Amino acid sequence: MDRPPHVIDLGDLILRRFARDADLPELWRVIEESSEHLRPWMAWVAGHDRAATARFLDRRHEAWEEGRDFTYAIVREGAVVGACQLFRRDGCRGEGLEAGYWLHPRATGRGLATRAVRALVEEAFRLPGVEHVDIVHDLANRASGAVPERLGFSRHRRRPAERTAPAESGEEQVWRLTLRQARARAAQGARGAVAEG
């Protein structure tokens, strides 16, 4: 089964596969420092502790090996500042992947999530059989929604969802970018670059 690379080098920003034991202390600290920022939108933060972080890293390692979930540390200036992933949601047909992401509050507002997700999408479409990438967030989480909007995703649909975190509205926005759309945008960008040259 094909998988994305373990490291995606974006110059001043690196996405790299988490190392189980080696990343535990830093990831636990980053989540701890980010907990007030993440808690309104992410239910898992309520159960955050060092053991939960260790279980998360173990599960991500197993899921990567099985080709189900590819989770990366977002690293800037040598420090972990968040995480992003490509995964298949339970019940999702094989041609689609979903992208998820979060950042330490001190890393927000710099375009890092957008750059990380753009790189994930590019890698997703290099995998065989992937025809679309979705991003799903609670409708009230406007910061999360800004990322797919900047990347040219289309609003695919809204759907009801169980409220599991304090700020959630109970409705999710699903954004979608298809392989065809991505190729059309890349071709348009290439034509623009040639015209400018």
Side-chain angles (χ1 to χ4, degrees), residues 108-156:
T108 61
R110 301 176 186 185
L112 302 184
T114 302
R115 290 175 62 202
V117 174
R118 179 183 292 118
L120 289 184
V121 169
E122 289 171 1
E123 293 301 334
F125 287 139
R126 289 186 178 105
L127 298 174
V130 175
E131 293 295 324
H132 67 264
V133 176
D134 289 348
I135 291 176
V136 180
H137 64 87
D138 187 87
L139 197 59
N141 189 345
R142 296 180 192 273
S144 283
V147 172
E149 189 164 20
R150 280 193 291 267
L151 292 175
F153 280 63
S154 300
R155 284 182 174 86
H156 181 59

Side-chain angles (χ1 to χ4, degrees), residues 58-77:
D58 285 342
R59 288 194 303 268
R60 297 293 71 78
H61 178 81
E62 292 163 8
W64 188 296
E65 293 303 313
E66 294 167 3
R68 295 184 288 109
D69 180 326
F70 310 106
T71 303
Y72 292 88
I74 302 174
V75 180
R76 186 167 185 267
E77 297 176 352

Side-chain angles (χ1 to χ4, degrees), residues 15 38 40 64 77 81 85 103 105 108 120 129 142 152-153 173 180-181 186:
L15 310 182
L38 299 175
W64 188 296
E77 297 176 352
V81 296
Q85 67 184 146
L103 289 172
T108 61
L120 289 184
R142 296 180 192 273
F153 280 63
Q173 176 66 58
R180 180 178 293 184
Q181 289 170 321

Side-chain angles (χ1 to χ4, degrees), residues 89-106:
R89 192 178 285 264
D90 292 341
C92 188
R93 294 190 319 179
E95 73 273 5
L97 291 174
E98 190 171 320
Y101 44 90
W102 62 266
L103 289 172
H104 189 290
R106 287 196 301 266

